[in-house]
Amino acid sequence: MNPRRQREPHAHSINMSPDNRFAIVADLGLDKLLVYRFDAAKGTLEPNDPPSVSLKPGAGPRHFAFHPDGRFAYAINEIASTVTVFDWNAGKGVFTEKQTIGTLPKDFSGESSTAEVIVHPNGKFLYGSNRGHDSVAIFSIAGDGTLTPVDVTPLHVKTPRNFAIDPSGEFLFAEGQDSGGIVVFRLDPKTGRLTPSGTSVALSSPVCIRFV
């Protein structure tokens, strides 16, 4: 447990399950993913049974993403700088942890925390941003949902609180909250790797980008 960051519950993000039957809350303060049954007709939430899944103490889950096939899910842990992989039982709304893996290079000794996590539209790669190291960790996704490191790529921005992959899966947009601006990378859907495109956008303190 982190006494400074985890004195109380801190619901940091919410995601709907692919079938729209469950709402998942990543609670950084509790080290849990809270699961609620969602009634779309009434717009109500009720705790599931079981109501949550616990992560390792001090993990600090921040954001969350489902795999496109709906069988797996990924929580990025802000405090521990890790990603936790879960099997997802869509019928019962139950998570089962199967892997936790670090997002930073093994030789890095500075201060850093994670922020965003995104699964590539093709389901073959996962990306997670590091604030402090100011990079994105790239993992390949195996058939069972587990992760293997591919690269940790500098994003050339300061404090990438958020990033986004365009719907085509060919570009990654990295935002620098403290440096300002958005830097665009080309993304190779076959290898998952990034290369600078040479394109950037001047913008003051961007923190979130969405494609609609």
Side-chain angles (χ1 to χ4, degrees):
M1 179 178 177
N2 183 307
R4 185 174 64 86
R5 298 296 312 282
Q6 297 182 298
R7 295 191 189 98
E8 57 194 11
H10 182 167
H12 209 296
S13 64
I14 185 167
N15 292 74
M16 299 305 299
S17 62
D19 59 9
N20 210 40
R21 294 178 57 232
F22 297 94
I24 317 302
V25 178
D27 195 305
L28 183 149
L30 297 178
D31 284 327
K32 290 182 178 182
L33 298 181
L34 309 177
V35 183
Y36 294 88
R37 296 190 302 274
F38 174 59
D39 187 322
K42 299 178 181 178
T44 58
L45 297 173
E46 295 289 342
N48 191 44
D49 181 18
S52 65
V53 63
S54 295
L55 289 91
K56 292 179 174 61
R62 176 185 175 94
H63 281 189
F64 175 86
F66 278 101
H67 191 276
D69 70 7
R71 295 187 298 141
F72 314 114
Y74 304 89
I76 194 161
N77 304 312
E78 176 178 334
I79 298 172
S81 292
T82 58
V83 175
T84 300
V85 183
F86 297 92
D87 285 323
W88 169 245
N89 184 322
K92 297 181 179 180
V94 175
F95 290 109
T96 304
E97 181 180 348
K98 65 191 309 179
Q99 181 190 23
T100 295
I101 189 169
T103 63
L104 293 164
K106 292 183 179 180
D107 60 355
F108 179 73
S109 59
E111 292 190 9
S112 192
S113 62
T114 60
E116 187 62 273
V117 61
I118 294 176
V119 178
H120 190 277
N122 67 16
K124 295 181 179 180
F125 302 98
L126 179 138
Y127 299 80
S129 61
N130 295 305
R131 298 173 296 174
H133 191 256
D134 295 337
S135 61
V136 63
I138 306 170
F139 302 91
S140 62
I141 301 176
D144 65 353
T146 56
L147 304 176
T148 300
V150 171
D151 195 17
V152 181
T153 302
L155 290 176
H156 308 301
V157 297
K158 188 175 181 181
T159 316
R161 186 185 183 100
N162 171 256
F163 65 93
I165 296 173
D166 81 301
S168 75
E170 296 182 357
F171 295 95
L172 183 145
F173 296 75
E175 303 164 57
Q177 180 182 7
D178 292 334
S179 59
I182 299 172
V183 177
V184 184
F185 291 81
R186 293 189 180 278
L187 190 158
D188 186 335
K190 295 181 180 179
T191 66
R193 294 181 179 272
L194 304 175
T195 55
S197 70
T199 299
S200 61
V201 179
L203 200 64
S204 176
S205 301
V207 297
C208 189
I209 184 170
R210 289 288 185 266
F211 287 90
V212 296

